[in-house]
Amino acid sequence: MVDSLRLSERLAQSQQFIHQFKQPVAGRLVRVVGLTLEAVGVKAHVGSQCIVETAHGDLLAEVVGFAQDITYLMPEESLRGVLPGARVLPIASKSQLPLSMALLGRVIDGVGKPLDGKGPIKASDEYHYDSKPINPLSRRAIKEPLDVGVRSINSFITVGTGQRMGLFAGSGVGKSVLLGMMTRGTTADVVVVGLVGERGREVKEFIEEILGEEGRERSVVVAAPADNSPLMRLKGCETAVQISEYFRDQGLNVLLLLDSLTRYAQAQREIALAVGEPPATKGYPPSVFSKLPQLVERAGNGGEGQGSITAFYTVLTEGDDLQDPIADASRAILDGHIVLSRELADAGHYPAIDVEASISRVMPMVTSPEHQELARQLKQIYALYQQNKDLIAIGAYTKGSDPRIDQSINVVPVINFFLQQKINEVIPYEQSLTQLQEIIAAAHANNQNAAQAQG
């Protein structure tokens, strides 16, 4: 009987201790290093939020790690007014993102606060940032093409509904313009645009000039410019994906344009290195390569009764190096990639898509055999010309030496015209295929005429 009472007392004490441990416990600030805050006495789990008292009011920060008694926090805003020994108070509830159809046409920051001055967003639901991954066996297969309104993509690099594509490019070759073209030309129900880590000027320019009023009506823009904290840039990407998941759960087809995946990786690198994680490949810690697939895998087709998320992630290739660690890791987890060429951009060829280096891995599953054959033939003609371009330019090639090269010389100007498109021009999928057929037919007719002339 005594042993039984003692056991009950010990159990009650243990439960009381666990209950007390789970309650948020305030602490104090002891150190500031760069953008990282170090506090002691704080009892809060990783991912929870804390309020740091400063000389200019409360500062919101998130717990990103701990070491023994020290808790590491990353602020959402600047550290102006932070004092030594400042009180750090954990917030019991986790931050939530207001979601509803009222988001359409709005511009918000990385945590869902309006930036467009149109007042608060009326939310029908509030979602946590963390979402459960979809069972891969419950996802619907990718079977239908998605019209993006860009002729070169529709014909040569056809995208499937629910596909995840990478847009690989250096700086200043037209990534943002291409995203705006797809926003206006796509047949998707909703467009979610994430502008993360870019210049603030580009954000306003994209919204007002590239996206336009017509594009904004069915779009949601999440903006976290380069001057935002690493935490806000990280959350900016996650917020854009979360909004896409909400609309997908409503049964809608979503086009997610995330610019850029590289800035997401760089924000995670800043946070990870600040809390002491060792660098690995070219300064990127291992957690970066763990978070990339976690973000990308949230896109794609949903289950029965759900819609889809077709995603384009821009990847900044620094120095036009396609072997950059982030570019290399991204290629491995995406369903294809579109490469923008600086050489084409410098020549005034827009969009500057390098069709030879680009590929859509699901194109065989969403296009007809006839479409695939037409694209293959035109790619072969284009590639043959590129291989002999230098010889042709210096006059070392003699006309009539190779009928195939002669054909490519005649057809490539038409192909280059076909691959170019004006910014405000929208070319539907069916029209792209019709024009593709016309070029192939003209190429064959030209080849037959040349053969008859030689005969």
Side-chain angles (χ1 to χ4, degrees):
M1 186 69 177
V2 175
D3 293 339
S4 178
L5 287 173
R6 288 179 178 175
L7 183 61
S8 299
E9 290 174 359
R10 289 178 181 176
L11 183 60
Q13 291 174 356
S14 177
Q15 290 176 343
Q16 184 180 4
F17 173 79
I18 294 173
H19 177 73
Q20 290 176 349
F21 182 77
K22 288 183 177 180
Q23 295 299 315
V25 178
R28 59 185 179 87
L29 204 60
V30 295
R31 191 177 183 217
V32 176
V33 182
L35 294 177
T36 311
L37 305 175
E38 297 182 9
V40 295
V42 178
K43 297 295 182 182
H45 59 81
V46 173
S48 62
Q49 291 185 314
C50 296
I51 291 177
V52 181
E53 296 178 351
T54 73
H56 302 291
D58 293 336
L59 173 69
L60 205 59
E62 183 173 306
V63 178
V64 294
F66 59 86
Q68 296 180 351
D69 296 334
I70 298 177
T71 301
Y72 298 105
L73 302 103
M74 188 65 62
E76 291 187 358
E77 301 172 1
S78 66
L79 295 177
R80 191 169 63 95
V82 174
L83 300 170
R87 190 165 178 258
V88 181
L89 179 64
I91 304 175
S93 61
K94 199 172 184 183
S95 64
Q96 295 180 325
L97 178 67
L99 296 174
S100 72
M101 298 301 291
L103 278 169
L104 294 176
R106 301 300 301 270
V107 182
I108 61 175
D109 67 4
V111 292
K113 298 177 181 178
L115 294 175
D116 50 15
K118 295 182 180 180
I121 299 170
K122 296 180 180 179
S124 56
D125 297 291
E126 289 188 346
Y127 277 32
H128 289 290
Y129 280 108
D130 296 335
S131 63
K132 295 180 180 179
I134 297 178
N135 187 330
L137 297 181
S138 66
R139 288 183 184 268
R140 300 190 317 279
I142 301 175
K143 295 182 179 180
E144 299 294 330
L146 178 71
D147 186 0
V148 295
V150 180
R151 182 167 49 197
S152 53
I153 297 177
N154 284 340
S155 55
F156 284 102
I157 323 161
T158 309
V159 177
T161 302
Q163 185 176 357
R164 294 160 299 193
M165 290 285 287
L167 187 59
F168 292 72
S171 57
V173 295
K175 296 190 303 297
S176 299
V177 174
L178 181 56
L179 293 180
M181 291 173 66
M182 289 191 288
T183 301
R184 288 190 298 269
T186 184
T187 55
D189 301 314
V190 176
V191 180
V192 179
V193 183
L195 302 176
V196 177
E198 301 298 326
R199 294 182 289 273
R201 176 189 60 80
E202 283 189 336
V203 174
K204 186 174 182 180
E205 190 176 277
F206 182 89
I207 294 170
E208 294 183 354
E209 299 182 15
I210 298 177
L211 192 59
E213 286 298 327
E214 184 179 349
R216 284 187 63 178
E217 290 179 358
R218 57 171 176 160
S219 303
V220 183
V221 178
V222 181
D227 60 346
N228 281 190
S229 69
L231 183 64
M232 287 293 285
R233 281 180 269 138
L234 199 70
K235 284 190 173 183
C237 292
E238 295 170 355
T239 296
V241 175
Q242 185 72 74
I243 293 172
S244 302
E245 289 176 324
Y246 169 77
F247 286 117
R248 180 193 61 193
D249 293 344
Q250 310 306 309
L252 301 174
N253 291 325
V254 182
L255 177 63
L256 169 63
L257 306 174
L258 192 56
D259 185 14
S260 71
L261 201 61
T262 304
R263 304 301 187 196
Y264 177 80
Q266 290 174 347
Q268 174 60 23
R269 177 176 64 180
E270 291 179 45
I271 294 173
L273 294 178
V275 298
E277 186 177 353
T281 310
K282 289 191 176 180
Y284 287 99
S287 63
V288 171
F289 302 100
S290 173
K291 290 185 76 69
L292 283 177
Q294 291 176 10
L295 184 76
V296 170
E297 284 296 322
R298 291 168 65 178
N301 282 336
E304 293 300 324
Q306 293 181 318
S308 64
I309 302 175
T310 306
F312 282 84
Y313 303 93
T314 67
V315 180
L316 182 62
T317 53
E318 298 179 0
D320 296 330
D321 180 16
L322 292 175
Q323 305 307 317
D324 177 84
I326 301 303
D328 194 45
S330 300
R331 272 198 306 270
I333 58 178
L334 293 170
D335 302 323
H337 53 271
I338 297 173
V339 179
L340 298 187
S341 166
R342 187 172 297 279
E343 182 181 355
L344 291 175
D346 292 341
H349 184 291
Y350 289 103
I353 298 175
D354 187 346
V355 293
E356 290 184 279
S358 306
I359 188 172
S360 171
R361 293 176 183 167
V362 305
M363 183 175 175
M365 294 180 279
V366 299
T367 57
S368 65
E370 293 77 16
H371 180 180
Q372 297 168 36
E373 179 62 21
L374 291 173
R376 185 184 65 81
Q377 290 180 22
L378 213 60
K379 272 190 174 182
Q380 288 179 343
I381 296 172
Y382 186 78
L384 183 63
Y385 179 84
Q386 296 299 324
Q387 292 166 7
N388 296 275
K389 182 171 63 174
D390 293 338
L391 293 176
I392 298 169
I394 64 175
Y397 173 75
T398 304
K399 187 177 181 180
S401 301
D402 190 332
R404 297 181 306 152
I405 298 179
D406 292 341
Q407 181 192 36
S408 69
I409 293 173
N410 294 327
V411 177
V412 159
V414 182
I415 297 177
N416 285 330
F417 178 79
F418 176 82
L419 294 176
Q420 296 180 63
Q421 188 172 329
K422 295 179 180 178
I423 295 175
N424 297 319
E425 188 178 8
V426 176
I427 301 178
Y429 180 78
E430 294 299 332
Q431 185 179 343
S432 301
L433 294 189
T434 301
Q435 294 177 356
L436 181 63
Q437 292 171 349
E438 292 173 354
I439 292 178
I440 291 295
H444 288 328
N446 185 281
N447 201 25
Q448 289 176 358
N449 294 336
Q452 292 174 359
Q454 290 179 357

